Amino acid sequence: MNGIECGVEGSTIAEAFRVVGMASDTYGPTLNTGVSPGDIETIGRAMADALRGYRPAAVVIWNTSDEAVLAHVIARELDISVVRAEQIEGVVVLHPDVAPGTEVALIATTWDRPEKVTTLQNLIATKQADVTVVAAVLHTPALDTTAPLPTVCLTRSVDGQV
C-alpha cells in the first residue's frame, strides 16, 4: 500500500463532507462536526475502513474538538486509542503518550502544511514508535510530501476545495 489512495468524487463520503463543510480551528481547517453527527459517522467509518489494512494501534491528531470527534469515530470502529498532540509554550506533547513500538496513523481533516505532519512524525520517532500511514479526509498538496509513507485520503476535492 504505497502512494496516495483516494476515494472518488460523487461518493457518499464526498456528499457527507459537503453537508458538514469546513471550519477554522487552532491547527487549521477541520470538519464542522456540529452540523450533522450522522455525516461525521459516515466520514469516520469510511476513514476507519481505509486505515484498517495498515493496522494502527492508535490514531494521532492535533488536539481540536472537531478533529477529536472524527478521531473518536475512527478509533471506535478500529478498537484503538486516540492520542492528541498539542503545542504548549512551544513544546509539542502527546496525551496520552505512546509506548515504544506502537504503530500509529496520523489523521486530519486536511494537512494544510507539511510541517504539521513532519512535527508529528518526529515526535512519534522520539517515542520509538512508528507512523505507518498519514490520512486526511480531503487531499491537499501537503499530503503529497509524506513519501515514503503511505497516505490515504477520502476525497480529492469537494466544491472546488483542494
Side-chain angles (χ1 to χ4, degrees):
M1 293 188 201
N2 291 321
I4 295 178
E5 297 178 30
C6 206
V8 294
E9 278 56 69
S11 70
T12 305
I13 295 93
E15 181 57 30
F17 186 85
R18 280 186 199 90
V19 170
V20 298
M22 299 283 284
S24 291
D25 214 328
T26 306
Y27 295 107
T30 188
L31 295 173
N32 190 3
T33 59
V35 172
S36 174
D39 285 307
I40 296 302
E41 285 285 328
T42 297
I43 294 166
R45 281 191 308 271
M47 182 65 78
D49 288 343
L51 294 174
R52 200 172 305 281
Y54 296 97
R55 306 173 75 105
V59 292
V60 178
I61 59 165
W62 283 104
N63 193 18
T64 69
S65 58
D66 289 318
E67 295 294 286
V69 171
L70 177 63
H72 170 82
V73 174
I74 295 165
R76 184 196 67 221
E77 292 296 312
L78 295 175
D79 194 25
I80 61 177
S81 61
V82 176
V83 176
R84 293 170 175 85
E86 60 187 325
Q87 188 171 5
I88 301 172
E89 296 183 13
V91 177
V92 180
V93 296
L94 298 175
H95 299 289
D97 217 346
V98 294
T102 303
E103 294 186 342
V104 304
L106 304 181
I107 64 162
T109 299
T110 65
W111 292 104
D112 64 331
R113 295 192 326 259
E115 54 273 10
K116 289 182 181 178
V117 177
T118 304
T119 297
L120 290 181
Q121 285 177 289
N122 292 339
L123 183 56
I124 297 298
T126 66
K127 306 296 181 179
Q128 298 177 345
D130 298 303
V131 175
T132 59
V133 62
V134 180
V137 174
L138 179 65
H139 177 268
T140 58
L143 195 59
D144 298 332
T145 67
T146 65
L149 284 173
T151 56
V152 169
C153 66
L154 297 183
T155 187
R156 284 203 175 271
S157 70
V158 176
D159 294 337
Q161 299 178 49
V162 180

